[in-house]
Amino acid sequence: MGLLHSPLPSPSPPLLTSFSPIKASILPKKSSFISHHKPLQQLLSTGVSFVLSLGLLVSAPVSIALESPSLQSSNSPLEVICRDNEAEEVYENDTEVSKVVSNESIVEEAWQIVNDSFLNTSDRRSWSPESWLQKKDDILSSSIQTRSKAHDIIKRMLASLGDPYTRFLSPEQFSKMARYDMTGIGVNLRDVPDGNGGSKLKVLGLLLDGPAHNAGVRQGDELISVNGVDMLGKSSFEASSLLLGPNGTSVNIMVKHGNCGPVQSIDVERQSIAKTPVFYRLEQIENGSTSVGYVRLKEFNALARKDLVTAIKRLEGMGASSFVLDLRDNLGGLVQAGIEIAKLFLNEGDTVIYTVGRDPQYTRNIVAEAPPLITAPVIVLVNKSTASASEIVATALHDNCRAVLVGDKTYGKGLIQSVFELPDGSGVVVTIGKYVTPNHMDINGNGVEPDFRNFPAWNEVNNRLSKCHKQQDG
């Protein structure tokens, strides 16, 4: 019996019995951004940039996205000077600086990051500007003899905040994060200003002896195109979506070597298995008179939006007049993927999510910029393991009167962390903001209550949506 064949209009079995859940094979992540502290230009400049769901952002001398390779740079634009190995020279210079940096300055920079950006989201009054200033005086009142001691001081300093997500990263941990690859060809990309008010994509890191490295791509190269698609102005998220593909398939990239070097067309064979998180089928209900498109989204990765669009278009072509989006046991993934997926269902100008933080640059209203892909009614299935990016999608559709929520109360993870690199290559993860739904509800720690516990009849869904009114801003 198909998933949508529970008795209608009043199903007797509970939703989670009539729909067999599929456990996701990932643990809750921390929602993520990454950038550097050198200057502190954060990633939210493009909406929410590359954010890893269930929470994190990175900030420091080089921009990164936790558990995802959106290495968004907060560095100043690279000098437009033609010289060989420019990118390598930049990194070598950074290394030289890190060798001579003092232990005291590392601790002080960690203190300053918290002072500038930390958002206390707990009930405990464990942080205030006054107490934090006193802590700086206490910590730096005497010299710090070793690097290990400096790191221990930072750990204790962060632990005193009472925030489980704010923590220290050793140089080894930060390095692993910075070199994370999800493109399938062994490159890590970041957006950098192009000098004309736009952005371009640079290769920040390469997997040694990986597909791109062996094909001739080098650190510092500019990514010009992917399979003929111009990358000028594109984000690293968009580029990664195009680079990903099944193991053994090839992708054509155009790269410019160095700052003023030649442009080269390179075919690179993918060596990672990019798995689609989207599963779909057409269900016939009400004695075959109604066709419903069922789509299960297991996680938000770089393939999620592209494959969801394909699934929806195919289901529409098969006659689907309404849709079920199954987000049960979806613990998150890339927050930006969730935001882009939510936009597929919303009208132009509708709010997807608000981000709120101490710093005004973390306070944004993220909206849909184009008409929706579909306007058919939607049921979103949720449960206690629906978290982070999934909660963003669920509330965006619900609060904009595009869907009803069915199932159990969601997980309740809506914090934004940023990862800041310190001068010696270590880092700190700091909670700098949170997500607020279009109806101004704080997701974190609260979760989202569904409209229905059991699968409703479609006439109930249509009736609920017809009476729904979006909350007005202000």
Side-chain angles (χ1 to χ4, degrees):
M1 182 161 60
L3 288 183
L4 297 179
H5 291 311
S6 54
L8 295 174
S10 51
S12 52
L15 174 70
L16 299 185
T17 301
S18 57
F19 284 72
S20 21
I22 303 171
K23 288 286 183 184
S25 60
I26 53 174
L27 297 175
K29 305 182 185 84
K30 307 205 171 44
S31 140
S32 125
F33 289 92
I34 300 185
S35 62
H36 274 263
H37 191 59
K38 265 191 186 156
L40 192 64
Q41 296 172 348
Q42 299 297 347
L43 302 183
L44 286 176
S45 59
T46 57
V48 172
S49 190
F50 219 178
V51 187
L52 235 224
S53 125
L54 274 168
L56 231 130
L57 225 143
V58 182
S59 303
V62 176
S63 213
I64 314 168
L66 181 68
E67 297 182 283
S68 67
S70 149
L71 298 171
Q72 311 262 7
S73 175
S74 57
N75 290 340
S76 303
L78 296 176
E79 286 184 307
V80 183
I81 300 175
C82 292
R83 63 185 185 189
D84 293 335
N85 302 319
E86 179 182 9
E88 285 76 359
E89 289 178 19
V90 171
Y91 287 98
E92 286 170 7
N93 290 339
D94 283 348
T95 302
E96 291 301 318
V97 170
S98 70
K99 289 178 181 178
V100 299
V101 70
S102 70
N103 297 321
E104 289 79 9
S105 66
I106 294 170
V107 174
E108 185 171 4
E109 183 160 352
W111 178 92
Q112 190 66 50
I113 289 168
V114 173
N115 187 67
D116 292 342
S117 304
F118 176 67
L119 179 69
N120 184 18
T121 59
S122 69
D123 293 332
R124 294 175 51 189
R125 298 205 172 270
S126 50
W127 186 91
S128 70
E130 296 76 22
S131 64
W132 197 244
L133 182 60
Q134 180 61 51
K135 188 175 292 292
K136 177 184 179 182
D137 294 338
D138 295 342
I139 289 170
L140 298 176
S141 59
S142 58
S143 64
I144 303 171
Q145 298 299 319
T146 66
R147 187 59 49 85
S148 176
K149 179 69 172 176
H151 290 173
D152 286 341
I153 290 173
I154 295 172
K155 290 176 186 177
R156 293 197 301 270
M157 184 171 69
L158 299 181
S160 72
L161 296 170
D163 175 28
Y165 302 109
T166 296
R167 62 196 188 277
F168 175 77
L169 297 174
S170 68
E172 294 74 21
Q173 291 170 321
F174 189 91
S175 177
K176 288 179 181 178
M177 185 184 300
R179 296 297 172 181
Y180 187 94
D181 165 49
M182 69 169 211
T183 64
I185 63 171
V187 298
N188 207 337
L189 301 170
R190 70 173 178 182
D191 307 343
V192 299
D194 64 4
N196 298 311
S199 65
K200 57 186 177 182
L201 293 173
K202 287 272 192 173
V203 176
L204 176 66
L206 282 159
L207 180 65
L208 185 63
D209 293 326
H213 181 268
N214 290 338
V217 180
R218 293 295 176 258
Q219 182 173 308
D221 284 358
E222 179 185 348
L223 183 63
I224 303 297
S225 69
V226 177
N227 284 336
V229 179
D230 188 359
M231 290 295 102
L232 186 63
K234 295 286 195 299
S235 69
S236 49
F237 172 82
E238 293 171 296
S240 296
S241 299
L242 294 171
L243 290 168
L244 272 169
N247 189 43
T249 61
S250 292
V251 59
N252 176 264
I253 60 174
M254 296 280 290
V255 296
K256 182 167 73 171
H257 298 298
N259 216 33
C260 307
V263 174
Q264 183 180 3
S265 174
I266 302 175
D267 290 319
V268 185
E269 182 176 319
R270 302 176 177 106
Q271 290 185 4
S272 66
I273 300 174
K275 295 181 179 178
T276 179
V278 177
F279 302 87
Y280 67 94
R281 64 174 167 273
L282 190 70
E283 295 283 344
Q284 302 295 333
I285 63 171
E286 298 175 351
N287 297 321
S289 63
T290 303
S291 297
V292 177
Y294 169 83
V295 183
R296 173 165 176 76
L297 184 56
K298 293 181 66 177
E299 65 174 315
F300 293 90
N301 64 18
L303 290 178
R305 183 190 183 280
K306 179 174 66 176
D307 289 357
L308 183 64
V309 169
T310 298
I312 288 173
K313 287 183 176 179
R314 288 179 180 175
L315 288 168
E316 277 192 313
M318 296 162 65
S321 58
S322 51
F323 289 84
V324 172
L325 178 61
D326 192 348
L327 297 180
R328 289 170 303 160
D329 300 309
N330 184 328
L331 294 165
L334 300 174
V335 168
Q336 186 62 33
I339 289 169
E340 295 304 321
I341 283 172
K343 291 177 181 179
L344 295 175
F345 298 87
L346 304 183
N347 293 315
E348 185 175 357
D350 284 349
T351 295
V352 178
I353 200 76
Y354 296 101
T355 63
V356 177
R358 281 178 57 215
D359 192 311
Q361 68 181 321
Y362 297 134
T363 302
R364 299 183 66 87
N365 175 13
I366 300 167
V367 301
E369 306 95 355
L373 178 66
I374 59 168
T375 57
V378 180
I379 288 175
V380 179
L381 303 181
V382 296
N383 66 6
K384 62 182 179 181
S385 295
T386 299
S388 196
S390 293
E391 291 174 291
I392 290 175
V393 172
T395 56
L397 271 61
H398 176 270
D399 291 1
N400 285 289
C401 301
R402 288 291 294 110
V404 299
L405 307 184
V406 178
D408 294 320
K409 185 178 180 179
T410 64
Y411 182 87
K413 177 67 175 72
L415 296 181
I416 304 169
Q417 281 79 42
S418 180
V419 179
F420 299 81
E421 186 180 11
L422 297 173
D424 68 336
S426 62
V428 291
V429 180
V430 179
T431 295
I432 52 86
K434 62 183 179 180
Y435 296 113
V436 177
T437 73
N439 282 351
H440 303 283
M441 190 193 83
D442 187 350
I443 295 173
N444 195 64
N446 298 311
V448 182
E449 290 286 354
D451 299 300
F452 301 93
R453 294 290 177 181
N454 297 321
F455 200 87
W458 280 98
N459 63 346
E460 293 180 81
V461 173
N462 292 325
N463 184 53
R464 176 68 67 97
L465 293 177
S466 68
K467 294 179 179 179
C468 177
H469 296 285
K470 291 191 293 184
Q471 182 170 316
Q472 298 297 316
D473 289 337

